[in-house]
Amino acid sequence: MEESAKLGLRIREGDCAVLKRDEVFKAVLVLRRRKVIFEKQWFYLDNAIGHIYGTTFEVSSGGSLQPKKKMEETTTETKEAGTDNRNIVDDGKSQKLTHDDIKALKDKGIKGQEIVQQLIENSTTFRGKTEFAQDKYIKKKKKKYEAVITIVKPSTRILSTMYYAREPGKINHLRYDTLAQMLTLGNIRAGNKMIVMETCAGLVLGAIMERMGGYGSVIQMYPGGGPVRAATSCFGFPESFFNTLYEFPLSKVNSLVSGTFSSETLPSEPEYNVPVEEESNGSLDEKQTLIQETEEESSTEAVMESNETEEQETMDLAAEDTEYKESKEKGNKENIREKQRKQQERRRKLVETAALLEEKNADGLIVASRFHPTPLLLSLLEFVAPSRPFVVYCQYKEPLLECYTKLREKGGVINLKLSETWLRNYQVLPDRSHPKLMMSGGGGYILSGITVTVEKVQSDASSLEAQKNEEPASKKRKLQELNC
Amino acid sequence: MSFVDYADTIKDGDTAIVFLGHESMFPVKVQHGSKTQTKYGVIRHSSDLIGKRYGSKVTCSKGGWVFILHPTPELWTMNLPHRTQILYSTDISLITMMLELKPGSIVCESGTGSGSLSHAIIRTVAPTGHLYTVEFHQQRAEKAKEEFQEHKVEHLVTVKNQDVCKNGFGVSNVADAVFLDIPSPWEAIGHAKSALKIEGGRICSFSPCIEQVQRTCLAMEEHGFTEINTLEILLRVYNVRTISLQIPDLGKAAEDNSSTGFDSSNQSNQGSLYGILQQGTAQFKSGVPLKEMVGHTGYLTFATKSLF
């Protein structure tokens, strides 16, 4: 049992756990004496601490959780069942218990199981229902009155299902089966050096990190002030995983490609992820660079080796938020020193990341963002080695059509494939099996391919291949002739 | 090269993928002194392949050329020699994610078949995980072993030649996940349960027919598996085409063009849209579904074994 705690099998305070009730998930931080609301119920997680992940709990009155032992299904003694519903009349009076009666039962703290039993006994039509209908009735009531929740360990499977159900907008409607395709088509595995550009709350990043198991490295390209990793933090990765994680601002990609990159300025602290305005600046490090206005850092930069004049700086600061001013007023030397240390650390890491990218030998590229994919692909593929897979997700098909065409024109890629997956769930029960619901559309589209060494000369074979994908010319002519 | 490690250059003994163009490729075992025939002519391994970078263009004897690609489980799936019906990457992706496979996972699989899924599992659980795969057909088991050696992944996989329904997986309480692709999976559910770790794990069974699924679900329930869920995943592929549609000639246009309701901002022949002989066409890009697509491979039934 000691071992299981070490392996992270037990629920500990401070963990990110996922609550599950039937098909509904919710990620929560496990804290003592903190009220959690889930599926119209409130409770405290205190009692769950120390239990093994996967344990099912019952919510008792007062919101405490009691581990539910796996019980023998108490089969309701129903030897009677009808064959069809020819004599069942809906008069609204079949249930003899009133709404108030049920509420009274609940308030007494009577177990959900008992309530369900009472409902069955007080249903005049229950015995006339078919066996299947009785089953269905019991299931429905159980769902309502037997409050059981299971606490499970987060994983890509659970988190991607949860996000798609709860907050699809935050992950650009990336359905979990589509994410699964991306991980496979991208050949994500331990030891890779991956480049990721995502605006899916860090879910795609987390999925990639899970598949890499802390081996290799991930470079996350981010827009604005910093990467969003709300979903990534739900995975509960060990600290060591984050040692292999790098980030690089998208706004610096062009300067990196053109060789004018400098680490002099950084985007602002990852706080609200507001797009930061760019402006051209004078020579820094004897180089023309794109500079980003930064919060907080601008002062320490001035203290360091920035050429910005005091005057300019204060003008910039006027536009800054008051938080900064307050901190400046309080700002003692130690504060500034601490900031400088952080600043230097960030800069060091940025230089390191730039060097990793400049090797241009990444093992793959994954893109899933709210931006148009074409410019991202055309730039970021520069950093990928030949014979490596890349996968682009987009909520819409049209941008990927353009991306496909542009990549073909540019060359250096083969085996381009535009695809989509549909997912179908089934209800499987004796004599009652059928598809549950059709999920289609809204799951997004994927463009995948493989990089190859870039050709200087357009060869005829690649144009041949391109032709194969176009409508044959003869057909077009025929159409026109017909209409003459 | 290895199936669990990228390499930059092609070496003697590697398995490489020769890419000839649109969806046409084949695997080749690189050997000093060997020759490979393609429709573009001969590839001489010693001079054309060994030492070259993966992803580079190789010119064949007739002047035509091919690309040489680094092997991946997905490319292997498209090119492997079929000894059985195989699983394709669409199903494999969902299986991998829903079984929660990752580096370090211990997985049991049966049957090995042609090894399409096996390669994908090995890729995902490397470098610290392991695959125990069971195949009752002796020749197929042998062939799979050979392939794993050739692909330099034999240290990550154990092939057993036995009947999983009778003798199980040959391991107990070690697996994080179990995968079944056999004609009667319901007979192996008990063995799957004992192969899984005491603290629990995931299971998946692949069956083409709904009757098989029904019996499997019943068996899973009897053995106390929870979260039983049956899914089916379909892949739709689109061809990217430029389509031209003709603008119908409705006779002499009224003076007011807008009354036709057609947005003439299209690339082609503005103004002459309603000319007499001018062929007015509107062009657009479209993702056209393939004429034929795979409608059904099989049902995937997932479930969880928990501690209780």
Side-chain angles (χ1 to χ4, degrees):
Chain A
M1 280 303 156
E2 272 302 297
E3 232 177 292
S4 64
K6 268 184 228 149
L7 289 166
L9 295 171
R10 290 181 178 275
I11 302 164
R12 289 170 312 177
E13 190 170 11
D15 276 6
C16 181
V18 177
L19 308 176
K20 174 181 180 292
R21 187 176 166 183
D22 296 317
E23 305 285 298
V24 187
F25 295 102
K26 183 180 183 173
V28 291
L29 196 60
V30 180
L31 291 170
R32 288 183 196 275
R33 294 184 299 283
R34 158 89 75 86
K35 201 183 219 178
V36 177
I37 295 169
F38 177 52
E39 288 287 274
K40 295 178 192 159
Q41 285 180 295
W42 60 270
F43 46 85
Y44 296 92
L45 292 172
D46 298 47
N47 287 354
I49 293 168
H51 283 281
I52 289 187
Y53 276 107
T55 308
T56 302
F57 298 90
E58 244 179 317
V59 183
S60 51
S61 51
S64 68
L65 296 175
Q66 303 302 333
K68 191 172 187 278
K69 296 281 176 293
K70 205 167 202 157
M71 285 176 305
E72 285 303 307
E73 281 295 311
T74 45
T75 43
T76 40
E77 288 296 313
T78 50
K79 288 180 187 73
E80 278 177 85
T83 45
D84 55 43
N85 57 10
R86 73 183 70 189
N87 298 320
I88 293 182
V89 186
D90 181 12
D91 55 2
K93 293 176 194 157
S94 59
Q95 182 53 254
K96 292 210 279 293
L97 288 179
T98 63
H99 195 76
D100 293 336
D101 293 341
I102 298 170
K103 198 173 176 304
L105 285 176
K106 272 209 258 185
D107 291 343
K108 268 190 229 165
I110 285 180
K111 276 210 160 116
Q113 229 180 331
E114 306 260 316
I115 299 178
V116 175
Q117 198 56 42
Q118 295 257 3
L119 286 168
I120 292 169
E121 279 164 22
N122 288 291
S123 165
T124 50
T125 49
F126 187 81
R127 292 210 163 109
K129 287 177 194 265
T130 64
E131 210 179 316
F132 293 153
Q134 287 179 354
D135 258 4
K136 206 168 168 178
Y137 180 89
I138 294 168
K139 255 195 194 148
K140 219 162 99 181
K141 297 300 173 200
K142 268 191 174 168
K143 200 172 168 174
K144 194 167 171 184
Y145 295 104
E146 286 190 24
V148 291
I149 57 153
T150 307
I151 300 185
V152 292
K153 215 176 161 50
S155 68
T156 302
R157 167 178 74 99
I158 287 161
L159 292 173
S160 59
T161 310
M162 179 187 87
Y163 261 93
Y164 188 73
R166 291 183 86 94
E167 306 186 286
K170 280 196 179 159
I171 55 167
N172 306 300
H173 292 80
L174 169 68
R175 208 202 298 129
Y176 48 96
D177 55 313
T178 313
L179 175 61
Q181 301 302 311
M182 294 175 73
L183 296 167
T184 296
L185 291 171
N187 194 22
I188 311 294
R189 64 173 180 211
N192 278 6
K193 173 177 171 181
M194 294 302 302
I195 300 177
V196 184
M197 162 58 207
E198 64 118 277
T199 58
C200 297
L203 177 71
V204 175
L205 175 71
I208 289 167
M209 286 168 72
E210 186 185 83
R211 284 284 172 93
M212 290 176 60
Y215 302 92
S217 54
V218 186
I219 303 162
Q220 184 182 12
M221 316 302 284
Y222 63 88
V228 177
R229 292 175 184 164
T232 321
S233 60
C234 292
F235 282 82
F237 291 130
E239 198 51 50
S240 61
F241 279 36
F242 291 94
N243 299 338
T244 61
L245 177 59
Y246 300 83
E247 58 265 359
F248 193 82
L250 261 186
S251 53
K252 292 247 176 204
V253 167
N254 280 338
S255 66
L256 193 64
V257 172
S258 62
T260 56
F261 170 77
S262 122
S263 64
E264 283 309 305
T265 48
L266 294 161
S268 56
E269 282 286 349
E271 229 175 346
Y272 302 107
N273 205 32
V274 186
V276 188
E277 279 186 8
E278 289 179 356
E279 60 164 46
S280 274
N281 206 55
S283 65
L284 284 180
D285 249 351
E286 303 151 12
K287 278 182 193 165
Q288 216 17 58
T289 77
L290 274 178
I291 263 210
Q292 292 216 326
E293 245 341 291
T294 59
E295 300 163 20
E296 312 221 355
E297 276 80 36
S298 51
S299 69
T300 45
E301 249 160 56
V303 175
M304 294 174 80
E305 64 245 294
S306 165
N307 314 13
E308 284 184 61
T309 61
E310 287 287 332
E311 197 180 313
Q312 250 187 318
E313 202 202 312
T314 43
M315 273 172 58
D316 291 335
L317 288 178
E320 304 252 359
D321 55 339
T322 51
E323 205 184 336
Y324 170 78
K325 280 183 187 159
E326 281 166 28
S327 72
K328 196 178 178 185
E329 281 158 27
K330 276 187 274 174
N332 49 22
K333 279 181 189 169
E334 247 174 62
N335 233 345
I336 288 181
R337 223 171 283 148
E338 180 56 33
K339 264 188 204 155
Q340 278 182 14
R341 257 201 301 278
K342 269 193 187 162
Q343 175 69 11
Q344 258 173 318
E345 179 54 30
R346 278 187 78 198
R347 190 170 296 173
R348 195 187 57 75
K349 198 136 187 193
L350 184 73
V351 172
E352 210 178 323
T353 310
L356 279 176
L357 286 169
E358 276 174 322
E359 290 172 352
K360 300 196 172 182
N361 65 350
D363 293 319
L365 170 68
I366 303 285
V367 175
S369 76
R370 57 188 151 85
F371 298 104
H372 199 298
T374 306
L376 286 171
L377 258 274
L378 293 178
S379 302
L380 297 180
L381 276 176
E382 294 281 321
F383 303 121
V384 182
S387 195
R388 299 293 186 269
F390 61 90
V391 189
V392 199
Y393 167 82
C394 189
Q395 194 185 334
Y396 309 100
K397 196 172 17 172
E398 291 74 10
L400 291 179
L401 297 175
E402 191 197 324
C403 195
Y404 180 102
T405 313
K406 287 278 194 299
L407 285 174
R408 265 233 143 60
E409 283 168 16
K410 182 171 176 267
V413 294
I414 53 166
N415 214 27
L416 283 181
K417 199 165 166 187
L418 176 59
S419 67
E420 172 197 18
T421 48
W422 285 1
L423 193 68
R424 205 165 194 183
N425 271 284
Y426 286 82
Q427 166 182 301
V428 180
L429 291 166
D431 300 326
R432 283 161 291 168
S433 300
H434 58 75
K436 255 197 255 185
L437 78 161
M438 189 68 178
M439 287 173 72
S440 92
Y445 298 84
I446 278 178
L447 177 63
S448 64
I450 302 170
T451 55
V452 287
T453 49
V454 181
E455 287 300 310
K456 296 288 170 285
V457 190
Q458 262 294 325
S459 48
D460 22 50
S462 71
S463 55
L464 265 179
E465 204 192 322
Q467 248 179 36
K468 274 185 211 161
N469 280 298
E470 300 287 340
E471 200 69 58
S474 57
K475 269 194 192 167
K476 283 185 204 162
R477 223 171 294 130
K478 264 189 203 153
L479 264 178
Q480 293 192 343
E481 283 160 17
L482 277 172
N483 285 288
C484 273
Chain B
M1 109 55 253
S2 137
F3 270 64
V4 291
D5 221 349
Y6 279 121
D8 285 337
T9 53
I10 304 164
K11 292 180 189 67
D12 188 24
D14 281 4
T15 299
I17 308 290
V18 179
F19 185 90
L20 297 133
H22 195 62
E23 294 278 305
S24 135
M25 45 186 146
F26 61 87
V28 62
K29 192 165 165 29
V30 180
Q31 279 173 309
H32 267 296
S34 273
K35 287 180 191 171
T36 299
Q37 295 289 347
T38 74
K39 61 180 179 186
Y40 301 120
V42 164
I43 302 172
R44 290 183 177 77
H45 293 203
S46 304
S47 55
D48 297 338
L49 298 183
I50 295 172
K52 286 260 167 55
R53 196 169 187 192
Y54 275 110
S56 51
K57 199 181 243 191
V58 170
T59 308
C60 311
S61 59
K62 290 183 192 167
W65 48 261
V66 296
F67 281 110
I68 306 294
L69 299 180
H70 194 292
T72 65
E74 286 59 56
L75 287 172
W76 183 246
T77 289
M78 288 197 268
N79 294 292
L80 56 81
H82 283 224
R83 302 183 281 274
T84 54
Q85 176 65 266
I86 64 161
L87 278 168
Y88 288 94
S89 296
T90 313
D91 286 305
I92 289 173
S93 333
L94 199 61
I95 291 162
T96 310
M97 186 166 97
M98 291 304 199
L99 287 180
E100 302 187 340
L101 305 187
K102 51 181 187 272
S105 294
I106 309 290
V107 188
C108 290
E109 176 203 28
S110 186
T112 315
S114 310
S116 169
L117 175 70
S118 312
H119 278 83
I121 292 174
I122 291 166
R123 172 265 315 275
T124 303
V125 305
T128 49
H130 200 85
L131 171 67
Y132 295 94
T133 183
V134 174
E135 171 63 55
F136 68 175
H137 189 284
Q138 200 192 333
Q139 240 183 324
R140 288 204 288 256
E142 296 293 330
K143 196 78 193 80
K145 252 188 205 159
E146 256 171 64
E147 267 171 16
F148 294 140
Q149 266 161 13
E150 243 172 60
H151 297 158
K152 305 183 181 81
V153 293
E154 70 270 32
H155 57 293
L156 296 161
V157 54
T158 307
V159 185
K160 282 201 175 71
N161 176 213
Q162 60 189 44
D163 182 349
V164 74
C165 297
K166 289 198 181 73
N167 316 102
F169 292 95
V171 290
S172 57
N173 298 332
V174 297
D176 296 290
V178 171
F179 176 80
L180 294 168
D181 179 6
I182 51 175
S184 53
W186 57 90
E187 291 176 3
I189 298 295
H191 296 296
K193 191 183 174 183
S194 57
L196 285 163
K197 283 178 177 164
I198 293 180
E199 59 264 24
R202 296 275 293 165
I203 184 172
C204 173
S205 168
F206 174 94
S207 297
C209 309
I210 197 75
E211 291 82 359
Q212 293 169 299
V213 176
Q214 289 201 311
R215 297 180 74 166
T216 307
C217 285
L218 277 177
M220 283 178 177
E221 210 157 335
E222 274 164 24
H223 282 99
F225 282 92
T226 56
E227 279 192 283
I228 302 169
N229 184 18
T230 302
L231 297 165
E232 176 182 35
I233 186 165
L234 285 179
L235 177 73
R236 289 175 63 83
V237 178
Y238 298 96
N239 279 328
V240 180
R241 295 246 172 86
T242 305
I243 310 285
S244 314
L245 288 184
Q246 284 213 297
I247 309 300
D249 178 10
L250 302 172
K252 267 270 183 269
E255 275 179 45
D256 186 9
N257 257 359
S258 62
S259 65
T260 59
F262 183 78
D263 173 21
S264 61
S265 64
N266 268 299
Q267 309 123 298
S268 51
N269 52 23
Q270 292 176 21
S272 62
L273 267 176
Y274 314 103
I276 306 151
L277 280 175
Q278 280 286 345
Q279 294 302 319
T281 58
Q283 275 201 333
F284 60 93
K285 281 216 179 312
S286 176
V288 184
L290 306 187
K291 272 211 184 71
E292 275 194 323
M293 60 170 268
V294 177
H296 179 72
T297 50
Y299 300 104
L300 293 165
T301 303
F302 295 93
T304 302
K305 175 194 173 183
S306 52
L307 188 68
F308 315 99

